Amino acid sequence: MIKVAPSILSADFSALGEEIKKIENSKADMVHIDVMDGHYVPNITIGPLVVSSIRPLTKLPLDVHLMITNPERYLEAFKDAGADIITVHAEAVNHLDRVVSQIHEMGIKAGVSLNPSTSASVLDYVLDKIDMVLIMTVNPGFGGQSFIEGMTKKISLLKKTISENNLNIDIEVDGGINEDTVSKVTKAGANILVAGSAFFSSEDPKAFVRLLKERGTVK
Ligand code: DX5
Ligand code: ZN
């Protein structure tokens, strides 16, 4: 099953409530929230306060993508704000196994994200403990960048490892996903599609979500 997670990074923040409604009405599956600290990535976005103001507006799962250093310090705050899944970057933590356990101890799902230059093999010894891998298909920090073609190989390799080990892990892709790139990533094995600029610039977000799912399902 292909899921679509619009990223609010490209939303109109002066009308965030309306933008969340747009996501709900589009029949998307999750709300993807990009948290950036100006250290781990060269951009600053939002914190737990904004997540908690989104929480009452939707029943959709809040998919919180932490692009921050020392994410372990903020897990509790994002969980309390209403996150359903928290994703940390493997490159941003010293003790990934511990951080994954901390997220699970709070009773929510744990994802781990990899930058384009990071090999999927860094996950070999935590793969059986996580719920989702988020493959960055652009360098994190900004919306509207172009999909990095070489990432399909990483997705395929990861999918192969997941299948060989009979694991049940989602593969989410993030960056440059649109109607033209979607089938490359889903054919490689991705099943959750983050879309920021393509979703919010679409004239008909519902048709856009349907199109991503249709194209993503063709084998
Ligand atoms: C980038 C963020 C993405 C971003 C994707 O660092 O993690 O979620 O919003 O934007 P698009 O879909 O425009 O590439
Ligand atoms: Zn993201």
Side-chain angles (χ1 to χ4, degrees):
M1 240 272 280
I2 301 292
K3 291 184 178 176
V4 176
S7 161
I8 61 163
L9 188 62
S10 294
D12 175 357
F13 278 84
S14 71
L16 199 48
E18 293 303 309
E19 300 288 65
I20 298 297
K21 257 189 223 135
K22 192 184 278 181
I23 294 175
E24 283 226 315
N25 294 339
S26 74
K27 299 263 190 293
D29 304 276
M30 303 201 254
V31 178
H32 184 82
I33 302 176
D34 289 306
V35 176
M36 305 185 187
D37 66 352
H39 293 277
Y40 185 65
V41 287
N43 194 7
I44 301 177
T45 56
I46 58 168
L49 204 60
V50 174
V51 177
S52 61
S53 66
I54 294 172
R55 184 65 286 176
L57 304 179
T58 180
K59 288 196 169 61
L60 291 176
L62 301 184
D63 173 31
V64 175
H65 177 194
L66 298 184
M67 284 161 276
I68 63 176
T69 50
N70 303 122
E72 63 281 359
R73 294 184 190 164
Y74 303 96
L75 300 175
E76 200 82 39
F78 282 102
K79 189 259 165 185
D80 290 346
D84 295 282
I85 173 159
I86 293 183
T87 296
V88 297
H89 269 260
E91 308 89 352
V93 295
N94 288 326
H95 303 287
L96 186 58
D97 183 89
R98 179 183 289 147
V99 174
V100 166
S101 300
Q102 285 170 338
I103 298 172
H104 281 150
E105 278 160 18
M106 301 189 305
I108 60 174
K109 288 186 175 180
V112 179
S113 183
L114 302 176
N115 286 330
S117 65
T118 304
S119 166
S121 62
V122 303
L123 300 179
D124 280 355
Y125 296 95
V126 286
L127 211 49
D128 58 335
K129 298 180 180 175
I130 63 182
D131 303 288
M132 183 176 89
V133 178
L134 195 181
I135 302 286
M136 288 306 304
T137 41
V138 298
N139 286 293
F142 303 94
Q145 303 180 80
S146 300
F147 176 75
I148 299 173
E149 297 288 340
M151 294 303 102
T152 50
K153 183 180 171 195
K154 195 197 292 188
I155 299 164
S156 304
L157 287 172
L158 176 66
K159 179 69 184 174
K160 189 165 171 269
T161 309
I162 291 172
S163 304
E164 282 171 359
N165 291 283
N166 288 317
L167 297 170
N168 184 19
I169 304 172
D170 290 312
I171 301 180
E172 184 176 54
V173 283
D174 187 3
I177 303 301
N178 54 40
E179 49 271 69
D180 301 322
T181 53
V182 58
S183 62
K184 299 178 195 178
V185 291
T186 53
K187 277 180 186 157
N191 66 309
I192 304 181
L193 311 166
V194 175
S197 51
F199 177 88
F200 283 101
S201 67
S202 167
E203 303 250 307
D204 186 346
K206 194 173 177 179
F208 173 74
V209 168
R210 203 186 314 125
L211 183 64
L212 279 197
K213 289 189 181 190
E214 275 167 18
R215 293 202 176 166
T217 310
V218 178
K219 286 292 165 200

